Amino acid sequence: MTQEQYIRAVQIDNRIGELERVKDEIKQTTKHRLWYAHNSGEFGSSWSLVPEWTMRNISEILDKHDLMIRQEIDEEIEKLKKEIEKL
């Protein structure tokens, strides 16, 4: 394995770890929901969530995209694992 391949393998492993941590954090779908937030601070340090009663109006749309995001995370993990195998 070349130095470049090794560096790439470490990068891939780090990314897989990040994605696995996200998956673990959001594994309970009933306790997580996509949400919008707005920045009310001057330097991006004061984010506020849009009220639940507003978000309820698009909950089905958000839930659909939540499933798509979860699937995309799984697909990226598999793609990265295949890339490591090729190295």
Side-chain angles (χ1 to χ4, degrees):
M1 178 180 281
T2 67
Q3 180 72 18
E4 291 81 21
Q5 289 172 317
Y6 174 77
I7 291 170
R8 180 62 185 146
V10 169
Q11 290 171 336
I12 292 169
D13 185 64
N14 289 339
R15 180 64 178 155
I16 290 171
E18 293 167 350
L19 294 170
E20 291 289 354
R21 282 188 291 282
V22 170
K23 279 182 62 172
D24 188 54
E25 180 68 32
I26 65 172
K27 66 184 170 195
Q28 294 180 329
T29 57
T30 59
K31 294 185 179 184
H32 291 86
R33 167 163 273 158
L34 291 182
W35 215 271
Y36 280 94
H38 61 90
N39 183 5
S40 56
E42 190 172 321
F43 299 105
S45 60
S46 182
W47 289 90
S48 300
L49 294 177
V50 173
E52 191 275 334
W53 55 269
T54 301
M55 298 300 292
R56 192 178 317 139
N57 296 310
I58 60 168
S59 64
E60 288 181 14
I61 295 168
L62 293 171
D63 290 346
K64 177 180 78 171
H65 288 282
D66 176 62
L67 292 173
M68 291 167 59
I69 290 167
R70 291 168 189 270
Q71 180 180 352
E72 191 170 334
I73 290 169
D74 288 337
E75 290 169 358
E76 183 174 346
I77 289 170
E78 287 307 310
K79 178 181 140 196
L80 291 170
K81 286 180 179 179
K82 287 179 184 177
E83 186 177 343
I84 282 182
E85 288 176 10
K86 289 180 183 178
L87 292 175

